[in-house]
Every structure is written in C-alpha cells, then in structure tokens.
Amino acid sequence: MISIDDCLALDAADPLAPMQAEFVSPVTGRIYLDGNSMGAMPRGAPARMTRALIDEWSVERRHAWHSADWLDAPQRIGAAFAALLGAAPDELIAVDNTTLNLHRLLHYGLDLARADARRSTIVFEREGFPTDCHVVQGAVHHGAGRWQARSIGTQDDLDAALRDDVAMVLLSHADYRTSDRWDMASVNARVHARGARVLWDLSHTAGVVPIELSACRADFAVACSYKYLSCGPGAPALAYIRRDLQNRAWPAIPGWLGHADRMNFVNDYQPALGLLSLITGTMPVLQDVVADCAAQIWSRADPGYVFAKHRSLSDTLGALLREQCAEFGVEQVSPAAHDRQGGHIAFRCPGAGATCEALLADGVVGSFRQPDVIRFGLAPLTVSHADLWHAVSRLRGILRDERWREPRFQQVSV
Ligand SMILES: Cc1ncc(COP(=O)(O)O)c(C=O)c1O
C-alpha cells in the first residue's frame, strides 16, 4: 500500500519540486488535477501584466512594439517550447488558437498535395475532439469537391484507411477522453510510405510526455497552450512546420504581418520566410505577455525531468486507484504503459458525473467526460505525489459512504 509518507518521500526527491513555487498555489485544501483543461497561473503573470499595461502601453505606447519586444513574441514563445517538443526553435511559433492553427496547417498540407490530382482524401478520427472533426469537415465543405474525408474509429483502422488517394491525416496524439496515445514515429513512417503527410494535435501530450517532432519527421503539429503549458486562458497556440516543409506554399490566411516585407506596406502579397508567414495581423499582446511568463519557466525545465515526473505521477495514481478504490468499482481506462499514455489518467467509477461533483465539493478538481469517466490531469510542474494521495483518499471516502448519491451532486456541471 502506498502511504502518504511514500508520496512525501517521492516529492522530496523530485528535482522539479522547486518549480512548483513559480506557479500560484491552489487555495488551501484544494487540489487541481485539471491541468488538461486549464494550467496553473505563473506567479509572475500579474506583475508582468501590470508592467505591460502601465510601463509599456500607457507610457511607451506604440514604441513598445520594439522596446518591449511585443512584435517578436510569437517566435520567442514558440522557441521557448522547442526542447520540450523536440523541435528546432525556428520550427515553432505561438499564434491564435489551436483550432485556427489546425485549420491553417491542414490547408497548408493540402496545398502541398494539390498538384497530385489522385490525392483527394483527408483521414481523421471520427471520435476525436470535436474541433479536429470540424476542421476536416470545413476543408471538405469549402473545397468545392476537391477534398473528401475518410474517418477511422480506432487506431487499428489506420492502415486500411491509408490508400493511395490520401493527401493528409489529422490525428490527436492522445485521446481527450481515454488518454490513449498514438505511436507518433510509427504513424509518420506509415503515412509517409503512402506518400501522405500528418498533422498532429498535441493538446493532451505537450508538456507531459516525450515528443520528438524533428527526430520522428513529423510534418505538422499544433498544441494548445492553456492546458499543461500554463500559458493562460485564450493563450496563443503553438504551430509547428518541419523546416524542409516551410516556404513551400502560401499560408491559408495571408495577412500584412505575415508579409515578407511587413513594414513597407507592399500590396502584392509575398509570404514571409519560415513560420512568420503564419502571423496574420496584430497579435494579442496582452495574451502574449502572460504566455511569455509561462514560456520562460518552461525554457528552464529539463524535459527529461518533466517526463520522468509524469511517469512517476502516473504510476502512483494508478496504484492508489487500485489499492484504495478498486473495491468500489473504480477501473483505470487509460493505458498503464507509459508510451501509450497522454497527460491525464481517465478512470471509470460509479456515478462518474455525480462523483466528480462530490470531489469538487471536497476540493478535488478533476473533469468528467461522457459517458462515465473522470479525468485527472497530471501536470508535472504543479502536481505532487502527495496531491494524488489526498485526492484518491477523498475519492475513496465519497465512494465508501456513497456520498455521490446525494441529490446536490446529481446536477453535473463539467
Ligand atoms: C484535443 C483538443 N484539440 C483542440 C482543442 C481546442 O483548442 P482551442 O480552443 O485552442 O481551439 C481542445 C480543447 O480542449 C482539445 O482538447
């Protein structure tokens, strides 16, 4: 049986433990296990935001584009995450949101495939996150018959779907419900062997598990930055294009700040080199300022420690759920093997929605997903082993006393 002392010993030996203080701590007694929905706020964010409002906007006004480096924030934030995602600094940029980046990179890939008339199909996961499906459906809708979609239901369906007509494949690296993760290197090789390209949605893996975008020759990827990466609500999302695929097509949304000669106000469009062409117009400076705070913390976090901590948290949670809650019907849904997991651990339990509400009332913030799973997000920079021990003990109490059956927990809010 794993005791609280075992967990405290693991935390005492954790090389990332000092970084926890760089984020705002939860109010006393609360345990946030929803890094997969919204990451913790960097402690320096309010002061940095005040500086941006007072010193930069109020005093510097438009000079702050350069004096405060507002203009370069998309590249600077992207580069700060390069080591974590196994990419080169010039292969990542932080712009807009995940959905927009999925849209623009899918269209970029389709543009590269356009010359080959046989390639007309986009493969996607029909049970994937809704926005991934919508982006593919949008491409088909606006493609005037040029593109069609082929959906797959499980990972086992991929090879049969990879016929010679495939132009692009869009996959979520880890499933948003079960956390089941694709083997990225193997998929890239299989898709490339059929002459197609892959766009990865890293929303549930970036900042938690090893990703080697360059080494496994990923073509395109996007990552949500307000989850594990703690860049803040509405933060710019990351977009990745492998270096040899850059400068090969126009961006899907050309705009003046993505122009090759952006400050000379040239009306004939010429894309800027590299990922700068993904910038459209004026960037969300105040969002960038907050995202920058998180990016600077991440650029000091050793990725090896981050991934090791996630493995340790995952093993600890799996064991605690088995030891303390299996007798009440709790069963882990996420794969136990580290190389098959994304960032969160999902488990089935009696009355999952109501149980999630009862956990919230007890100070444990997880998330419920239909039909019957609770997800605990294991953010390596902010979650401790002791947090998991306390969370699972509270879960055990709720299940043992059947408190989740109380009428006040039957209205499910998440
Ligand atoms: C897998 C996945 N992709 C995309 C998104 C949407 O991201 P955004 O709101 O930044 O477009 C989410 C949000 O939860 C997600 O889980």
Side-chain angles (χ1 to χ4, degrees), residues 97-99 102 129 131-132 172 176 201 203-204 224 226-227:
N97 59 34
T98 318
T99 303
L102 284 168
F129 188 77
T131 219
D132 298 40
S172 200
Y176 75 104
D201 181 341
S203 296
H204 293 284
C224 179
Y226 56 76
K227 299 180 191 290

Side-chain angles (χ1 to χ4, degrees), residues 125-402:
E125 299 164 283
R126 63 175 162 272
E127 300 298 333
F129 188 77
T131 219
D132 298 40
C133 301
H134 303 334
V135 163
V136 172
Q137 290 154 4
V140 172
H141 180 84
H142 289 293
R146 177 65 179 86
W147 310 115
Q148 60 181 359
R150 179 176 301 139
S151 70
I152 57 173
T154 69
Q155 295 197 3
D156 292 338
D157 298 342
L158 180 65
D159 289 313
L162 291 178
R163 300 181 213 141
D164 291 341
D165 62 350
V166 175
M168 284 290 293
V169 178
L170 194 164
L171 299 173
S172 200
H173 193 201
D175 185 273
Y176 75 104
R177 282 161 304 212
T178 63
S179 203
D180 205 353
R181 173 163 41 125
W182 289 90
D183 178 340
M184 185 186 285
S186 155
V187 170
N188 288 341
R190 279 143 64 203
V191 173
H192 292 165
R194 305 308 300 254
R197 296 192 176 93
V198 195
L199 166 55
W200 290 100
D201 181 341
L202 307 177
S203 296
H204 293 284
T205 50
V208 259
V209 301
I211 299 174
E212 290 293 342
L213 290 173
S214 306
C216 73
R217 295 200 56 72
D219 305 297
F220 311 104
V222 303
C224 179
S225 68
Y226 56 76
K227 299 180 191 290
Y228 295 105
L229 301 182
S230 273
C231 288
L238 298 173
Y240 158 92
I241 302 180
R242 203 179 63 226
R243 194 181 284 131
D244 60 294
L245 294 176
Q246 296 176 13
N247 308 318
R248 301 254 304 260
W250 273 28
I253 314 171
W256 73 291
L257 282 180
H259 192 281
D261 195 9
R262 61 186 182 184
M263 286 310 164
N264 276 324
F265 303 95
V266 180
N267 282 359
D268 285 332
Y269 184 70
Q270 179 69 39
L273 285 179
L275 299 190
L276 280 185
S277 64
L278 298 188
I279 300 174
T280 50
T282 304
M283 51 287 282
V285 170
L286 299 178
Q287 291 289 166
D288 284 355
V289 156
V290 175
D292 224 349
C293 294
Q296 298 322 309
I297 298 173
W298 278 102
S299 63
R300 287 184 278 105
D302 181 326
Y305 289 154
V306 171
F307 308 142
K309 171 90 177 280
H310 184 265
R311 289 194 290 271
S312 176
L313 290 172
S314 161
D315 287 346
T316 302
L317 178 59
L320 287 168
L321 288 173
R322 265 193 319 278
E323 291 170 3
Q324 298 200 29
C325 299
E327 65 184 287
F328 304 113
V330 167
E331 180 196 3
Q332 182 167 325
V333 173
S334 303
H338 295 133
D339 61 354
R340 296 290 312 281
Q341 291 174 350
H344 61 276
I345 293 294
F347 53 93
R348 258 186 222 107
C349 78
T355 301
C356 205
E357 292 300 312
L359 277 168
L360 273 175
D362 259 6
V364 179
V365 185
S367 54
F368 164 67
R369 282 293 173 272
Q370 293 285 2
D372 60 355
V373 299
I374 294 178
R375 308 179 304 172
F376 281 175
L378 305 179
L381 297 191
T382 51
V383 172
S384 69
H385 297 83
D387 287 337
L388 298 180
W389 192 90
H390 290 295
V392 175
S393 311
R394 292 181 206 175
L395 174 63
R396 178 182 165 80
I398 290 165
L399 296 172
R400 183 196 52 218
D401 305 340
E402 298 201 359

